Amino acid sequence: MTRDIWTMVWKEWREFRDQLLSLRRGGLSALILALILGVVAPVQLGPEWVHSKIIIGYWPFLAATMVSSLIADSVAGERERHTLETLLASRLPDAAILIGKIVAAVLYGLGFAVANMLIGLIAVNVAHRESAPILFGAQRFVVTIILTVLASLLMAGIGVFISLRASTVKQAQQTFGIAIIVLTMGPLLLFNALELDTRMRVAVRMAALGEDRAEAYAVGILSLLSVIVIGAALARFRRGKLVLD
Amino acid sequence: MAGEFAIRAESVTRDFGPVRALDALSLEVPKGIVFGFLGPNGAGKTTAIRVFLGLIEPSAGRAEVLGLDTRRDGAAIRTRCGALLEHPGLYERLSANDNLEFYGRAWHVPRRVRQERIRELLTRFGLWERRDDPVGRWSRGMKQKLSVARAVLHRPDLVFLDEPTSGLDPVATAGLREDLAALSAYEGVTVFLTTHNLNEAERLCAQVGVIRGGRLLAVGSPESLRARQDSGQVDIIARGLTSDVVQALRARTDVVASLSVDDGRLSVSLTAGASPAPIVALLVQHHVEVEEVRRARATLEDAFLDLMGSDTPSGDAPRGGDS
């Protein structure tokens, strides 16, 4: 099973690579994104780019966004490009195909985030030279990586679910876009809909949580949601069903 | 019994809601042959392949592929089979080499063997020089060849080819047909081929099955299906035909049903099951110079069209073997 998963990861990465190497097919947009996020933003924000508490949510969001753009192409694209049935007619197990696609997308998102972190650190240290190098704290770095992986996993799981119901990549990406807006804006709108007293109480409790506990809650919630969504996607990803869809 | 047959279906029925795609399909495909599955669009050919590969379950009946139950052992069947389905199923952003490399890995073909096999197949199909090009830039014929190479990469025991020459120009069709014939001969695999192209079936297949509306109408060798349509008409061009000879021929009522003579051309309708040999012998005996004897043979297309026009299965035993 592990070997089959890595076979899928190998194939997905080959496709990502070829897509990235082609400027016309997405390489250029990735290059511009890397330049803005990895160089322009760190240079403008300076050391705050490394030490701000808000930045801990930035990397998971960045990775999840990258995953969302890939997973729709990876899953809905197999159907749109008529490669799915041939893949299903191979000896690869259903779970290996799906997990391979998720792992490939998550590794891509994580790789993109880490590459941006490194480029950003170089940019910020060059532009804002201090006596000591400007670096992330070890704990913050580990937590950021964990949150990045979990957010990517969750996004990949949601992406699979949406893509399995879409007949084209475009349709999947449109539905995914709406889902991301609902997932990010929904809690804020819900919070704003609460009475002022309630909002104040929630804000005070959140502030009282402390950084460590807030991170632990975030890890716990993302882990639980990822397990549920990916479990449901695995249950949905069945040959007999996919062939007939 | 299972050892003799690559595929064995017993009353396989498959419904999609109110639509019956396969209707009590019973079929035996011997190992090591090229079997052609003929039928119009929507006849149930692709559904049959999906059932045989264990991708979908039959609503009723059972099928065995390589001695394995399609309901229970789908994964094991797919491990031992290769397939070119309705679409080439190639990753067009990837090169030919990467496409084959991926499926070679998927089938756990050891690295060295995989590399040798990829080289062997791409060379055989004339694609080696273009192995690093993205497949999306290739012609349809080249893609079809690559798909066939992918289907046999892991040396399967049985290969399903769903309309392999569909949409190809005549030259590409002829080329691929030659490649398929060579593959079958060299690899020794059983090939289950669906096609609309009756000429292709006639040239490639040791046996063919004709399906329409999910029902198997006939199965047998192309010759046996053609023979069903034979009119028993023989045209003989000869010199020295006299009225006595014609009289003598008419007297052979055991062989001759009717005959006509027109400017040295003798057209004879044979009685059922009769051979033209006694007629030729009689002509020679009467010192007639026989220049040409031509039996008007039905084509597989005649047989196919006749079956498409009939409502009932042809032959008493629509199973493997000439019937």
Side-chain angles (χ1 to χ4, degrees):
Chain A
M1 179 77 161
T2 311
R3 188 175 173 183
D4 294 333
I5 290 171
W6 284 112
T7 295
M8 275 310 296
V9 172
W10 179 88
K11 192 276 284 180
E12 295 294 319
W13 268 82
R14 283 277 157 149
E15 288 204 281
F16 297 162
R17 182 201 67 178
D18 291 350
Q19 206 171 355
L20 270 179
L21 288 177
S22 163
L23 286 182
R24 197 166 51 83
R25 283 200 307 244
L28 193 62
S29 50
L31 202 67
I32 292 169
L33 201 62
L35 197 71
I36 293 170
L37 300 177
V39 180
V40 179
V43 169
Q44 282 184 346
L45 292 171
E48 194 63 11
W49 183 83
V50 177
H51 302 309
S52 166
K53 285 180 183 175
I54 298 169
I55 206 82
I56 202 166
Y58 168 73
W59 301 111
F61 181 77
L62 178 67
T65 308
M66 294 309 293
V67 168
S68 72
S69 69
L70 281 175
I71 201 79
D73 186 74
S74 171
V75 178
E78 290 270 6
R79 180 178 291 134
E80 190 179 352
R81 295 186 285 269
H82 305 296
T83 51
L84 182 63
E85 196 173 4
T86 301
L87 185 61
L88 297 175
S90 76
R91 60 157 297 288
L92 291 172
D94 299 343
I97 294 172
L98 184 63
I99 295 171
K101 284 181 176 292
I102 290 174
V103 169
V106 169
L107 286 177
Y108 185 87
L110 181 66
F112 188 80
V114 170
N116 267 280
M117 274 184 199
L118 295 175
I119 295 168
L121 278 178
I122 294 166
V124 86
N125 278 285
V126 169
H128 303 271
R129 195 165 294 176
E130 292 181 359
S131 53
I134 306 164
L135 294 170
F136 297 109
Q139 187 190 336
R140 167 166 284 203
F141 180 75
V142 171
V143 171
T144 304
I145 294 295
I146 292 170
L147 286 174
T148 302
V149 170
L150 290 173
S152 302
L153 274 173
L154 178 61
M155 199 52 80
I158 295 169
V160 167
F161 236 85
I162 289 169
S163 301
L164 286 177
R165 284 171 164 72
S167 53
T168 62
V169 175
K170 196 173 177 185
Q171 190 187 350
Q173 284 172 339
Q174 283 169 346
T175 313
F176 212 168
I178 295 167
I180 289 172
I181 291 169
V182 170
L183 284 171
T184 51
M185 299 298 288
L188 287 175
L189 291 173
L190 206 68
F191 184 73
N192 278 334
L194 297 172
E195 286 190 8
L196 187 62
D197 281 358
T198 317
R199 272 188 277 165
M200 289 299 287
R201 276 204 303 277
V202 172
V204 168
R205 277 196 179 182
M206 295 276 280
L209 270 180
E211 199 175 325
D212 289 352
R213 200 181 284 180
E215 286 169 0
Y217 277 133
V219 168
I221 290 166
L222 281 175
S223 301
L224 184 68
L225 289 175
S226 301
V227 167
I228 291 170
V229 172
I230 290 173
L234 277 168
R236 176 75 177 72
F237 199 88
R238 292 271 176 262
R239 268 184 168 80
K241 217 172 168 58
L242 292 168
V243 166
L244 298 177
D245 276 349
Chain B
M1 282 289 276
E4 299 167 36
F5 299 106
I7 298 172
R8 207 169 167 207
E10 288 172 18
S11 304
V12 170
T13 297
R14 173 69 207 202
D15 296 326
F16 294 108
V19 178
R20 177 150 289 185
L22 289 178
D23 189 0
L25 174 73
S26 292
L27 180 71
E28 284 172 347
V29 177
K31 283 184 177 170
I33 67 160
V34 179
F35 183 89
F37 210 33
L38 314 178
N41 290 332
K45 305 187 295 288
T46 301
T47 303
I49 289 182
R50 286 172 171 175
V51 168
F52 295 151
L53 278 169
L55 294 174
I56 54 174
E57 290 190 0
S59 310
R62 66 187 297 272
E64 276 183 10
V65 171
L66 302 168
L68 300 160
D69 187 282
T70 58
R71 270 202 183 89
R72 207 183 47 228
D73 310 313
I77 289 170
R78 287 188 292 275
T79 301
R80 294 178 56 193
C81 291
L84 159 56
L85 302 174
E86 206 174 350
H87 300 282
L90 297 167
Y91 294 100
E92 301 213 337
R93 293 171 192 160
L94 300 185
S95 65
N97 203 58
D98 283 350
N99 268 281
L100 296 185
E101 174 71 21
F102 167 57
Y103 278 101
R105 287 175 183 228
W107 260 282
H108 296 181
V109 180
R111 191 176 171 205
R112 183 165 293 178
V113 177
R114 194 166 69 222
Q115 286 170 347
E116 281 171 13
R117 182 77 170 143
I118 289 171
R119 188 186 181 103
E120 177 200 338
L121 287 169
L122 289 180
T123 306
R124 186 188 298 168
F125 284 115
L127 303 171
W128 178 249
E129 300 302 319
R130 302 279 304 272
R131 66 188 178 281
D132 293 323
D133 290 357
V135 170
R137 293 186 198 157
W138 282 15
S139 70
R140 186 167 175 147
M142 291 167 76
K143 287 180 190 172
Q144 287 291 90
K145 285 185 172 192
L146 182 61
S147 303
V148 174
R150 183 201 56 216
V152 298
L153 176 71
H154 55 291
R155 297 188 190 278
D157 298 316
L158 170 64
V159 182
F160 293 95
L161 302 175
D162 195 357
E163 309 273 0
T165 56
S166 166
L168 299 186
D169 62 59
V171 176
T173 300
L176 186 57
R177 191 165 53 222
E178 279 174 24
D179 291 332
L180 290 176
L183 267 178
S184 162
Y186 296 139
E187 309 273 341
V189 295
T190 307
V191 178
F192 187 93
L193 173 95
T194 75
T195 183
H196 286 122
N197 189 328
L198 301 170
N199 183 33
E200 180 175 289
E202 200 154 12
R203 289 180 188 213
L204 272 177
C205 303
Q207 281 194 29
V208 294
V210 180
I211 186 172
R212 189 190 63 181
R215 299 180 72 195
L216 187 67
L217 300 179
V219 66
S221 66
E223 296 78 32
S224 71
L225 292 192
R226 278 199 315 257
R228 291 174 180 177
Q229 297 301 307
D230 277 349
S231 57
Q233 185 78 22
V234 178
D235 290 331
I236 300 169
I237 298 171
R239 264 190 251 168
L241 275 173
T242 61
S243 56
D244 289 347
V245 176
V246 173
Q247 244 353 80
L249 284 172
R250 284 211 165 100
R252 287 296 304 267
T253 51
D254 56 327
V255 185
V256 178
S258 65
L259 67 82
S260 63
V261 184
D262 180 22
D263 195 23
R265 176 188 290 267
L266 186 65
S267 292
V268 182
S269 284
L270 300 173
T271 55
S275 155
I279 298 170
V280 176
L282 192 144
L283 292 171
V284 172
Q285 202 182 335
H286 284 80
H287 309 293
V288 174
E289 279 183 50
V290 178
E291 290 182 352
E292 188 180 334
V293 178
R294 192 168 59 228
R295 185 156 192 174
R297 303 303 298 252
T299 63
L300 189 58
E301 187 175 359
D302 295 329
F304 178 79
L305 291 174
D306 183 67
L307 286 164
M308 288 301 108
S310 69
D311 285 321
T312 49
S314 171
D316 48 0
R319 285 187 164 255
D322 295 0
S323 57

